[in-house]
Amino acid sequence: MASLRIGPGPVFACEWLRISRRWQLFAARSLSIGLVLLGLAFTWGSWSGREAEVDLALLAFLGQIIYATIATIELTLVLVAAPAATAGSVCLDKARGSLIQVMATDLTDSEIVLGKLAAALIPVVGLVFCAFPVQMLASLLGGSDPAALFGTLQVALGSAVLGCTLAFALSVWGRKVHEVLSATYLVIVLWVVILPFLGSAARIAGWSTLGWWGEALYLLEWVTPYALIQPLYNETAAARLGRTSLFLGASLGLSAL
């Protein structure tokens, strides 16, 4: 019987040491910062030709555009980087034969799975939390309330965890990294593109006249991360945080499965 080990475990320590030495980790961080700066540069470029005196309403509108720019770039990076972080966690070890050697030790299944998953998930979650202070500073201009900022943080975290765990699960059955990435990105495209399209089509066709399934199609428009990060200023902060908290809880529940 394996002895009880307290802490992240040897698999996490080994995987984290290996991941922290990859050049792709630093390249992803530099790319994320560069894309945010590029988005802010384009946003500021559209405002550089305005008059010197800008009223508070225009500053609030600028803050709203900056919030939308950072939130969209952050969510897009998370949806792209999360599957890539865990796509080769299992299939590469199977191809190299090292997974059989790990399974021959006294390590439990949970130590192997959670150790590999946690080591790959930390850089993605760190990317989400690094963008949050930038959004808080941009909120000083106005145009974005704290509920929208914390709601975006919840949506990004839920998308990061779900993307990592989905790619990790597909890596168990996949043989090549590109096969796992293709399947994962296909699911993400269906999630963020096809579902909103069906919801919009149901809304245009008149979802109330289509019965209960028409109403279900209309609700699909609001279960995608891009729809949730768009602030609705006619709803209360509690209602917005309730929707984003439900999304985060559903994402964590699916990730646990």
Side-chain angles (χ1 to χ4, degrees):
M1 180 180 296
S3 59
L4 179 62
R5 284 181 286 267
I6 300 176
V11 176
F12 173 81
C14 180
E15 290 292 327
W16 178 244
L17 181 63
R18 182 172 58 87
I19 291 176
S20 61
R21 293 179 176 178
R22 288 180 177 176
W23 65 268
Q24 292 90 343
L25 177 62
F26 303 97
R29 293 175 179 176
S30 302
L31 178 62
S32 62
I33 296 175
L35 289 178
V36 171
L37 291 177
L38 184 62
L40 294 179
F42 278 110
T43 302
W44 179 252
S46 62
W47 284 73
S48 59
R50 295 180 179 267
E51 300 179 357
E53 295 182 0
V54 181
D55 57 6
L56 295 180
L58 289 178
L59 285 178
F61 183 64
L62 175 60
Q64 182 180 355
I65 295 178
I66 290 177
Y67 157 76
T69 301
I70 298 176
T72 304
I73 293 176
E74 175 191 8
L75 184 58
T76 303
L77 288 174
V78 165
L79 292 176
V80 173
T86 56
S89 298
V90 180
C91 63
L92 287 180
D93 289 344
K94 289 193 300 182
R96 297 168 180 170
S98 58
L99 184 62
I100 301 298
Q101 299 176 357
V102 173
M103 295 178 64
T105 63
D106 61 345
L107 295 172
T108 61
D109 296 340
S110 59
E111 286 180 323
I112 298 174
V113 172
L114 296 180
K116 287 179 172 291
L117 182 60
L121 189 59
I122 286 179
V124 182
V125 174
L127 178 65
V128 174
F129 279 102
C130 286
F132 186 68
V134 181
Q135 293 178 334
M136 293 293 292
L137 291 175
S139 66
L140 296 177
L141 295 173
S144 58
D145 58 287
L149 298 179
F150 283 99
T152 302
L153 178 63
Q154 290 179 326
V155 172
L157 284 177
S159 302
V161 176
L162 185 58
C164 285
T165 52
L166 176 61
F168 188 90
L170 294 178
S171 181
V172 176
W173 294 285
R175 296 181 179 180
K176 303 291 184 179
V177 177
H178 68 273
E179 296 177 353
V180 177
L181 285 176
S182 300
T184 307
Y185 288 141
L186 177 61
V187 174
I188 292 177
V189 169
L190 293 176
W191 177 29
V192 302
V193 176
I194 303 301
L195 291 185
F197 174 77
L198 294 177
S200 300
R203 175 169 50 83
I204 295 174
W207 59 271
S208 58
T209 61
L210 299 178
W212 64 269
W213 64 274
E215 184 176 356
L217 288 177
Y218 173 73
L219 293 177
L220 292 178
E221 191 177 3
W222 298 102
V223 299
T224 58
Y226 285 102
L228 289 173
I229 65 174
Q230 301 299 325
L232 299 177
Y233 294 101
N234 58 346
E235 68 176 353
T236 61
R240 174 172 176 77
L241 289 177
R243 291 192 296 114
T244 55
S245 300
L246 182 61
F247 175 84
L248 178 60
S251 300
L252 295 180
L254 289 176
S255 300
L257 291 178

